[in-house]
Amino acid sequence: MKEIDLDRSRGLSAKETRTFEARRSRLYGQFGQSATNATDALVDHFGAPGLLLTEGLRVRTPFSYLEKPISEEDVSDRTAPKRAFRPPATMILSSKGAALRMYLTALAYAQLRNRPGRRAVLDIPLTTFSREWGWSDLVATSAVQTGIGKSSSAIRDKKARTLATALDTLEEAKLVHLPGTPGKRGRYEGFSLLDESGWQRGGDPLPYVVPQKNEDYFTLPVGFITQGWLHVLEDSEIVLLLAIACRRGTLAAIGEDPDILPGEVAIPADVRLRRYGIHRDPFSAARKTLEWFGLLKVREIDRHGDGRAQDSATKLHRISLLPEGFESPALQSVRETIDHQLGF
């Protein structure tokens, strides 16, 4: 287990403390166990030597980055861009829902079961009460057993409702196709995975095909899936990881500043808002926690004495992914980091 080295110079605010306490309770409760089970189910039951386990998770660029930026009239660093204008990754994020995690899980499943260039076949049911595997086994939720007798609500029923809500969100973003009629039984069974571009593409949505080498995609480290980081990170943290891995529109990509080391990116505010659809506040919070978890390295540039960044187009934090951080078991790493920060 890596040694935890936290920056206490600016400490936790009262709001951050409450957020960490709630997160700690969730990770030590049913959700934490569900995250462990979901990771084991995907890797142990469906995993096999192949693309995902050798290279990492391939994600096409349009999932995180807009080729056509959001209009300047529709963005402000005081408020997040409207969901309808954002790229799919930030369009479907939620503090409580499972849409983002379910879509990335589906990409992982597709890349475990299919070779590049092959159309994905999602050949498992949403949920099942038999020994058969279903999506409810692969996506972590906080569902718990409640009530007794006829009033008892089974965990799998609750999971099914969570996944149904997630699929409704994904359908709206044109990331999945649901074959069933709204309101009818079986609507969510046999859903099809669609291309990461989602709503951005005019005309009929494209079916999802595992990316080939010559396509425009980026990768997340293998451990993002195999060590369970997908399940224990917040959506805001996941979309920041996607943006850092994507590397599009950054100073490193366009060469505006020589003080950028190999592997580092620096994302201008305009790009962060109008291309990635990420508001300043969740960006700052996610950057801080991901650094604590050992997944990001942040090199701060010319800060004021009170911690505020200086105003300049090029005086941006230099951020890089730490692939070795993803090799640690996610649940244990996050629990220990939060415990340490809260003084447990």
Side-chain angles (χ1 to χ4, degrees):
M1 181 66 193
K2 66 180 184 299
E3 181 181 351
I4 300 171
D5 182 19
L6 302 183
D7 177 10
R8 293 183 180 274
S9 61
R10 293 191 285 276
L12 286 179
S13 67
K15 180 179 179 181
E16 288 172 329
T17 298
R18 291 192 299 270
T19 299
F20 267 49
E21 288 173 344
R23 189 169 185 177
R24 181 179 187 275
S25 178
R26 189 161 57 96
L27 292 177
Y28 275 100
Q30 176 61 36
F31 183 85
Q33 184 59 54
S34 182
T36 297
N37 294 342
T39 301
D40 292 345
L42 183 65
V43 176
D44 293 344
H45 185 71
F46 296 109
L51 173 65
L52 176 67
L53 299 182
T54 56
E55 180 182 324
L57 182 67
R58 292 183 177 183
V59 183
R60 288 184 175 87
T61 297
F63 184 62
S64 295
Y65 181 84
L66 294 171
E67 287 295 335
K68 182 178 180 181
I70 301 170
S71 169
E72 290 183 344
E73 299 176 354
D74 295 315
V75 298
S76 166
D77 241 357
R78 295 184 178 182
T79 58
K82 293 181 180 178
R83 286 186 180 273
F85 300 149
R86 303 181 206 171
T90 44
M91 183 182 190
I92 63 176
L93 71 79
S94 168
S95 60
K96 296 182 179 180
L100 178 60
R101 289 183 290 109
M102 184 166 188
Y103 187 73
L104 292 175
T105 298
L107 295 189
Y109 179 87
Q111 292 176 32
L112 279 170
R113 309 286 283 177
N114 301 274
R115 293 195 296 272
R118 291 289 185 88
R119 181 170 175 174
V121 177
L122 308 181
D123 52 358
I124 58 175
L126 191 68
T127 187
T128 174
F129 287 91
S130 68
R131 295 184 180 275
E132 188 178 5
W133 293 85
W135 289 105
S136 58
D137 298 300
L138 304 183
V139 181
T141 75
S142 297
V144 297
Q145 187 88 18
T146 59
I148 58 175
K150 292 183 179 179
S151 65
S152 175
S153 179
I155 291 178
R156 285 183 181 267
D157 285 339
K158 288 187 174 183
K159 280 190 173 184
R161 289 195 291 272
T162 297
L163 299 185
T165 300
L167 286 170
D168 284 335
T169 299
L170 293 174
E171 183 189 45
E172 185 177 0
K174 295 187 177 181
L175 293 171
V176 302
H177 170 67
L178 302 178
T181 303
K184 297 294 185 180
R185 186 179 181 84
R187 164 169 167 73
Y188 302 100
E189 297 296 346
F191 69 90
S192 302
L193 193 59
L194 299 178
D195 185 86
E196 296 100 318
S197 58
W199 65 268
Q200 299 172 81
R201 184 181 183 277
D204 294 332
L206 293 172
Y208 178 78
V209 175
V210 177
Q212 301 184 79
K213 274 289 187 182
N214 60 349
E215 294 190 60
D216 183 12
Y217 68 85
F218 57 91
T219 61
L220 288 176
V222 174
F224 178 71
I225 299 297
T226 60
Q227 296 297 336
W229 290 100
L230 166 63
H231 302 295
V232 304
L233 294 178
E234 302 292 333
D235 279 12
S236 59
E237 294 161 353
I238 293 174
V239 297
L240 177 55
L241 287 179
L242 292 169
I244 302 302
C246 180
R247 302 180 64 86
R248 291 288 291 275
T250 71
L251 296 186
I254 58 180
E256 290 185 355
D257 191 292
D259 184 23
I260 297 180
L261 302 177
E264 290 183 334
V265 298
I267 304 178
D270 182 68
V271 173
R272 168 176 51 75
L273 268 173
R274 299 178 60 207
R275 298 283 191 170
Y276 289 105
I278 302 175
H279 182 241
R280 174 187 58 197
D281 293 343
F283 174 87
S284 297
R287 192 209 76 225
K288 189 175 183 180
T289 53
L290 290 172
E291 185 178 15
W292 285 344
F293 298 155
L295 303 182
L296 290 184
K297 180 179 180 180
V298 181
R299 183 162 64 95
E300 297 185 346
I301 303 295
D302 295 337
R303 273 195 172 272
H304 293 288
D306 61 1
R308 292 181 298 109
Q310 292 187 9
D311 294 329
S312 170
T314 58
K315 294 185 184 298
L316 303 165
H317 292 324
R318 278 38 171 173
I319 307 175
S320 52
L321 286 181
L322 295 177
E324 64 272 19
F326 292 87
E327 297 172 6
S328 297
L331 184 62
Q332 180 184 355
S333 297
V334 174
R335 280 176 173 174
E336 291 188 6
T337 302
I338 291 177
D339 283 352
H340 190 85
Q341 182 66 17
L342 292 175
F344 282 92

